[in-house]
């Protein structure tokens, strides 16, 4: 039985890895209390990769993480086509999953602790969370966009 569960977990991990690529953000109204489409697009819309190089996009992401003003953006995990970074602020944490390829870069919700735990998650897009999450994320996206 354990071998079967391990096999399923491995398949899921491989599937998640394979899906690590920017995808169009399609807003789905989640009702009262969820973020507005305009707010979410400022964070989740795709950023074109003008260099046409995934290796260059990776380097730009890592450099942008280093140059952020305020709380540090730390590297948590890296895999084929994605980087997960963590921001710690006053006992709270945000995890951004930054996916990239030759054509684009995109920030997605990678997790959160305390105030930044998502209350309404659809795929890798969080619809209901502390309002500052979108502000911090949009600033990070703006820095990435400038650097690319």
């Amino acid at each position: 039985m354990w071998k079967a569960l391990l096999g399923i977990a491995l398949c899921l991990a491989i599937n998640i890895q394979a899906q690590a690529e920017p995808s169009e953000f399609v807003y789905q109204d989640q009702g009262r209390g969820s973020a507005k489409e305009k707010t979410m697009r400022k964070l989740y819309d795709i950023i074109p990769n003008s260099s046409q190089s995934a290796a260059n996009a990776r380097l730009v992401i890592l450099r942008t993480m280093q140059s952020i003003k305020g709380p540090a953006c730390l590297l948590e995990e890296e895999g084929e086509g994605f980087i997960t970074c963590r921001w710690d602020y006053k006992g709270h944490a945000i995890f951004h999953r930054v996916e990239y390829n030759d054509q684009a870069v995109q920030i997605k919700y990678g997790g959160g602790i305390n105030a930044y735990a998502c209350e309404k998650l659809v795929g890798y897009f969080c619809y209901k969370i502390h309002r500052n999450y979108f502000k911090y994320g949009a600033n990070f996206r703006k820095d990435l966009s400038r650097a690319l």
Side-chain angles (χ1 to χ4, degrees):
M1 178 163 162
W2 287 105
K3 287 183 181 181
L5 291 175
L6 182 61
I8 292 169
L10 182 59
C11 286
L12 288 173
I14 291 169
N15 190 29
I16 289 170
Q17 292 279 342
Q19 294 174 353
E21 147 172 332
S23 58
E24 182 182 352
F25 170 65
V26 178
Y27 182 79
Q28 302 169 20
D29 190 1
Q30 298 298 311
R32 190 171 187 209
S34 64
K36 295 182 178 4
E37 181 175 5
K38 181 179 176 181
T39 301
M40 293 183 72
R41 288 203 176 279
K42 287 180 183 177
L43 172 57
Y44 296 133
D45 269 351
I46 289 176
I47 305 165
N49 180 3
S50 59
S51 71
Q52 299 294 301
S53 164
N56 187 60
R58 177 187 173 274
L59 187 59
V60 167
I61 294 164
L62 293 171
R63 286 184 177 161
T64 302
M65 287 168 49
Q66 287 181 323
S67 66
I68 289 173
K69 296 175 185 164
C73 188
L74 307 171
L75 178 64
E76 274 295 306
E77 180 183 13
E78 184 172 7
E80 188 66 36
F82 78 95
I83 293 173
T84 301
C85 61
R86 182 186 84 224
W87 303 39
D88 294 313
Y89 186 70
K90 295 184 179 181
H92 308 278
I94 299 170
F95 296 88
H96 287 300
R97 180 181 169 96
V98 186
E99 297 183 357
Y100 61 92
N101 61 21
D102 292 344
Q103 287 81 38
V105 174
Q106 184 178 36
I107 299 172
K108 296 181 179 180
Y109 182 77
I113 298 172
N114 295 331
Y116 298 109
C118 184
E119 295 178 40
K120 184 65 178 179
L121 184 66
V122 178
Y124 280 105
F125 306 111
C126 183
Y127 283 79
K128 191 172 182 183
I129 194 168
H130 192 283
R131 69 180 179 272
N132 285 345
Y133 166 76
F134 293 105
K135 181 174 78 172
Y136 299 147
N139 288 338
F140 182 40
R141 183 186 182 282
K142 191 183 309 181
D143 291 346
L144 278 173
S145 183
R146 279 190 211 135
L148 286 168

